[in-house]
Amino acid sequence: MKVTNDWKDVLEKEYSKPYYKELYEFVLKEYETQTIYPTSDNIFNALHLTPLKDVKVLILGQDPYHNENQAHGLSFSVLPSQKVIPPSLQNIYKELQDDLNCYIPNNGFLEKWAKQGVLMLNTVLTVRAHQANSHKGKGWEQFTDAIIRAVNEKDSPVVYMLWGRPAQTKEKMLNNPKHLVLKAPHPSPLSAYRGFFGCKHFSSANEFLQENGLDPIDWQIENI
């Protein structure tokens, strides 16, 4: 469970803290005795694909998808082999279609965003199969708070997309005036109609990035 790019310097000091040692032992045992998602080599996928220096947008999720062949370390994203697009992601695609006229693709693989500087972070990075939130409160939140703080300290502009109440509890950590914080209800079918639809976060993010001299994100996920 180590990260090798420029996140390494940020996270190195976390590894030696007591909470992380406990978390490490817990997660190790879980992988040995239970079915855990994502696979252990994908836990830090978001960090591997989006180095700190490249972060332009942060999309915060809760914990990984807990069914087979879904989670691969990026919030909201599923593996290309997964033919069923999760309901929240379907709603994200609907909003993208409405906001930026993107077509709705036949897959939920969002790696393209990560490679453009969209940090797709869950606050909890592992989960037991078929048991949502089963690794909540075990230490991941402290670890991902360190990641969020590092992004907040960046000198270049970053857009935060905080969808739903759990993500919005992190807003108090975001005090850098160079950044833009966008808030909306969660895209899940339970709450999307309360204001996620029509939030226009994707066009707002691109406008902000361009105003600050950065390339916009190409949000279109292509068909496989």
Side-chain angles (χ1 to χ4, degrees):
M1 297 205 324
K2 286 279 192 279
V3 181
T4 49
N5 57 17
D6 62 357
W7 284 108
K8 186 168 173 268
D9 299 338
V10 174
L11 299 173
E12 205 83 273
K13 47 186 176 289
E14 297 302 307
Y15 299 146
S16 57
K17 291 180 181 175
Y19 89 85
Y20 191 84
K21 290 175 179 169
E22 282 176 31
L23 171 66
Y24 183 87
E25 295 298 326
F26 167 76
V27 171
L28 204 62
K29 191 165 185 207
E30 285 284 286
Y31 274 100
E32 284 167 3
T33 58
Q34 307 286 334
T35 302
I36 303 300
Y37 299 124
T39 57
S40 57
D41 55 343
N42 276 333
I43 295 175
F44 296 130
N45 217 4
L47 303 176
H48 292 142
L49 288 167
T50 315
L52 178 58
K53 66 177 173 51
D54 296 341
V55 175
K56 298 197 281 195
V57 178
L58 193 158
I59 297 179
L60 203 55
Q62 267 181 280
D63 69 334
Y65 294 121
H66 51 78
N67 289 327
E68 195 182 350
N69 207 19
Q70 289 185 320
H72 64 105
L74 302 182
S75 59
F76 295 101
S77 180
V78 290
L79 287 162
S81 53
Q82 174 57 247
K83 294 296 169 242
V84 180
I85 296 171
S88 292
L89 183 53
Q90 286 181 31
N91 287 339
I92 290 170
Y93 285 161
K94 282 179 193 162
E95 176 57 23
L96 268 168
Q97 186 177 44
D98 185 52
D99 186 12
L100 290 172
N101 211 21
C102 294
Y103 69 82
I104 293 181
N106 62 2
N107 68 91
F109 188 54
L110 307 181
E111 195 172 275
K112 176 183 174 179
W113 295 355
K115 288 179 172 172
Q116 294 179 82
V118 181
L119 179 62
M120 306 183 66
L121 184 69
N122 282 314
T123 52
V124 172
L125 300 186
T126 53
V127 70
R128 265 190 202 187
H130 319 303
Q131 294 180 45
N133 283 322
S134 45
H135 286 183
K136 190 179 171 185
K138 301 293 183 185
W140 277 129
E141 293 89 345
Q142 208 170 323
F143 184 77
T144 52
D145 277 358
I147 294 168
I148 295 166
R149 273 195 296 274
V151 175
N152 178 61
E153 286 163 17
K154 266 176 72 96
D155 210 26
S156 54
V158 175
V159 182
Y160 298 88
M161 295 184 183
L162 305 181
W163 299 333
R165 223 168 276 136
Q168 288 164 17
T169 62
K170 305 296 180 185
E171 188 184 6
K172 57 186 179 292
M173 299 165 66
L174 311 176
N175 56 9
N176 187 332
K178 292 191 168 170
H179 301 175
L180 174 67
V181 178
L182 301 173
K183 293 186 290 182
H186 196 275
S188 106
L190 299 171
S191 53
Y193 63 90
R194 291 197 208 121
F196 177 78
F197 290 136
C199 70
K200 302 213 177 302
H201 279 188
F202 302 101
S203 58
S204 301
N206 279 354
E207 280 162 25
F208 177 78
L209 293 172
Q210 286 174 293
E211 281 162 15
N212 284 282
L214 296 169
D215 288 335
I217 305 297
D218 174 7
W219 294 104
Q220 178 67 68
I221 298 294
E222 282 83 18
N223 283 336
I224 292 177

